[in-house]
Amino acid sequence: MKYNRNILITGGAGFIGSHLVRLLVNKYPNYRMINMDVLTYAGNLANLKDVEEKENYEFVKCDICDFERVQKIFQDYQINSVIHLAAESHVDRSIRDPFSFAQTNVMGTLSLLQAAKHAWDGDFDNKLFYHVSTDEVYGSLGEDGFFVEATPYDPHSPYSASKASSDHFVRAFHDTYGLPTVISNCSNNYGSYQFPEKLIPLFINNICNNKPLPVYGKGENVRDWLYVDDHARAIDVIFHEGKLGNTYNIGGFNEWKNIDLIKVMIKTVDRLLGREEGSSEKLITYVTDRAGHDLRYAIDSTKLKEELGWEPSLQFEEGIEKTVKWYLENTEWLENITSGDYQDYYNEMYKAK
Ligand code: NAD
Ligand code: TYD
């Protein structure tokens, strides 16, 4: 079968990437999706079990920093679009090990940009390099206001500094070489298949297992939460209709103080497990604050709504209920991560073939 597009999706075995791959593989049988992922601790091919046999899906194990191999993959698969999600994504890890964030997020992005430039060689018809980024590049808000696309970059953590740098490289390739690029900056995502080091899956898991819930500082930091499938839908819309050289903010106008969100999770888990509602609040443990902890993120996604018609589809109450239920029903997925067994999946499924 001849495909209209050969799309290189990087980081497709991660949390957001797997939701995006699933959406695109099922929605566009005339596109071929090549998932390039090196399978770090955060990459889990079991996230994609339901699409791995689809004809228009291909997995390639490769480090985005390996420029020679990336170039070969562009040739072998005649890549004409890139949706780049591969990254080191956890702020706490970036505080402990900033080098790997600069390596993957900055050098890896540069390697992909350079490979696209070489492969497309000035012929940019029907080509696109889409970079998936974060609202954390804008820094931290006070009590009021929102991040808009024109908000100056002011990253604070090594993670956000590396993402900001990669955004700048993407813009530089657009402005210098005319590479057709687009960037989106999204707020915090939640949903199924998120690695249980991030707030929501970690706390759901701990509540279930009666483990302490480590709340950083006073729990007063604010995050703007978006259901992961709504993010994937936004990427789909921007991929098809976004204006080249533009940035789009993605968010759900859904701000929560950490401690309030934690209490919602506690109530939901308690109810679903038949415990007295709120009884797990005793697990809340205030711990030393994260260094450089940004106080508040809030995204204004008006541009995306007005120009491209995207809006979140799910109310938060519904999204968090679905998410908690998913983690309660998928204990095997969680156990495989906790035990490390998920890392054998690649060997079992792919190496043997
Ligand atoms: P994740 O950590 O769950 O997944 C990252 C994926 O990238 C993993 O599959 C990992 O194996 C892969 N990867 C890491 N280094 C690689 C390398 N050198 N070569 C190839 N693959 C590599 O991350 P996520 O939460 O799904 O985030 C995906 C993207 O979205 C990131 O770029 C992140 O900055 C951005 N983002 C995330 C959020 C969020 O709330 N999670 C919000 C906005 C933007
Ligand atoms: P996280 O999920 O790591 O996302 P990000 O830092 O990218 O926003 O954290 C969300 C919020 O929850 C953030 O304010 C830090 C806080 N947090 C805790 O209080 N305890 C935890 O154990 C974790 C992982 C996060």
Side-chain angles (χ1 to χ4, degrees), residues 8-28:
L8 182 70
I9 301 183
T10 70
F15 166 48
I16 300 169
S18 61
H19 284 269
L20 180 70
V21 166
R22 180 174 301 101
L23 173 74
L24 299 183
V25 163
N26 288 319
K27 188 169 171 187
Y28 301 105

Side-chain angles (χ1 to χ4, degrees), residues 90 136 188 197-199 202 214 216 223 258 290 293:
H90 189 39
E136 302 190 24
N188 287 61
E197 63 184 353
K198 305 274 169 67
L199 179 75
L202 175 72
Y216 298 162
R223 296 292 182 264
N258 288 342
R290 173 189 278 173
H293 198 171

Side-chain angles (χ1 to χ4, degrees), residues 235-296:
I235 294 173
D236 179 16
V237 170
I238 295 166
F239 176 79
H240 286 97
E241 293 167 43
K243 287 199 199 101
L244 296 184
N246 270 235
T247 289
Y248 295 88
N249 279 354
I250 310 173
F253 291 105
N254 179 44
E255 290 179 53
W256 285 85
K257 223 177 234 186
N258 288 342
I259 192 65
D260 296 335
L261 171 62
I262 289 161
K263 287 183 180 167
V264 170
M265 288 194 277
I266 289 173
K267 269 195 179 160
T268 314
V269 175
D270 281 348
R271 174 168 47 76
L272 292 170
L273 290 184
R275 297 177 184 164
E276 191 192 331
E277 253 183 51
S279 61
S280 299
E281 284 192 17
K282 62 178 182 299
L283 299 172
I284 291 176
T285 310
Y286 291 94
V287 299
T288 309
D289 207 355
R290 173 189 278 173
H293 198 171
D294 286 336
L295 178 66
R296 175 172 167 257

Side-chain angles (χ1 to χ4, degrees), residues 210-225:
N210 282 309
K211 286 190 181 161
L213 306 174
V215 180
Y216 298 162
K218 294 184 179 153
E220 283 175 353
N221 303 69
V222 174
R223 296 292 182 264
D224 180 356
W225 294 94

Side-chain angles (χ1 to χ4, degrees), residues 172-220:
F173 268 64
H174 174 266
D175 296 348
T176 308
Y177 309 110
L179 199 78
T181 62
V182 70
I183 300 174
S184 58
N185 296 86
C186 188
S187 62
N188 287 61
N189 284 215
Y190 71 99
S192 52
Y193 299 111
Q194 186 168 30
F195 196 85
E197 63 184 353
K198 305 274 169 67
L199 179 75
I200 291 188
L202 175 72
F203 276 41
I204 295 173
N205 194 27
N206 285 10
I207 299 165
C208 290
N209 293 303
N210 282 309
K211 286 190 181 161
L213 306 174
V215 180
Y216 298 162
K218 294 184 179 153
E220 283 175 353

Side-chain angles (χ1 to χ4, degrees), residues 101-119:
F101 283 70
Q103 176 66 11
T104 295
N105 300 358
V106 184
M107 294 306 289
T109 301
L110 186 54
S111 154
L112 291 164
L113 285 164
Q114 194 66 346
K117 177 163 81 74
H118 281 189

